[in-house]
Amino acid sequence: MKAEYINPFLESARIVIEQVANIRPSTGQLGIKDVKFVENFIWIQIGMTGEMQGDVVFGLHEEVALKMVSAMMGGYVVTEMDEMSKSAISELGNMISGNASTMLYNQGVRVDITPPKLLHSANAAGFIPKKALTIPLIMDGIGELDIQVLIV
């Protein structure tokens, strides 16, 4: 697994979050860890096909997701993960991944992405724990968004 696989997603996440939530995130420590779905987290899973095959998974605590959606809606306070909130947080993952796939294309790597799949429960995920290249984005006043890239 190469560290450069995560860079387009990291750079894209910084750009998109700054545009949609007016927050400049900082970067945490890059590492490799087992991806495990835990309760009270929101997971946005995007599949990749083409020259890179696998998934990118964005994970954030439910409270962080609510704060993120509130920031995306111009500060309107969101208190539950209703259909609108789920749609907004899914679209965040979609925008980050779409932008990253364009960056990869510009580097000569052809990749297509699948529509985002929102996973709100570890049991519903049906996901087998795998090793992933992971890096957290720290957003002041909001919390952390983990970017996890699982490439085969």
Side-chain angles (χ1 to χ4, degrees):
M1 203 175 318
K2 298 178 182 175
E4 59 263 20
Y5 288 155
I6 204 165
N7 289 337
F9 293 95
L10 178 60
E11 184 60 28
S12 176
R14 284 186 184 138
I15 292 166
V16 170
I17 290 169
E18 192 167 349
Q19 288 174 346
V20 301
N22 205 23
I23 297 163
R24 183 179 295 255
S26 59
T27 306
Q29 187 67 37
L30 177 68
I32 294 178
K33 70 177 184 182
D34 286 324
V35 175
K36 294 179 185 162
F37 289 97
V38 293
E39 296 302 324
N40 299 323
F41 261 67
I42 303 291
W43 306 94
I44 308 152
Q45 180 181 8
I46 308 232
M48 293 179 290
T49 59
E51 291 180 37
M52 281 175 61
Q53 303 228 354
D55 293 295
V56 61
V57 179
F58 302 99
L60 58 170
H61 193 279
E62 191 171 319
E63 289 178 25
V64 175
L66 290 170
K67 289 179 185 177
M68 188 67 196
V69 171
S70 294
M72 291 171 71
M73 294 186 175
Y76 175 80
V77 178
V78 178
T79 57
E80 67 173 311
M81 286 305 292
D82 58 13
E83 289 307 310
M84 178 71 101
S85 301
K86 290 177 184 176
S87 176
I89 209 73
S90 292
E91 185 55 27
L92 177 69
N94 196 40
M95 291 166 65
I96 292 169
S97 299
N99 198 15
S101 68
T102 300
M103 290 176 179
L104 287 163
Y105 180 83
N106 291 336
Q107 295 170 7
V109 180
R110 294 180 186 268
V111 65
D112 290 316
I113 60 170
T114 65
K117 186 190 315 185
L118 188 72
L119 309 169
H120 200 157
S121 158
N123 296 333
F127 192 88
I128 300 162
K130 300 177 189 175
K131 292 250 185 258
L133 200 53
T134 182
I135 192 159
L137 276 182
I138 300 130
M139 301 171 287
D140 284 342
I142 292 185
E144 287 187 11
L145 168 74
D146 282 334
I147 302 171
Q148 302 167 357
V149 178
L150 300 93
I151 304 295
V152 259

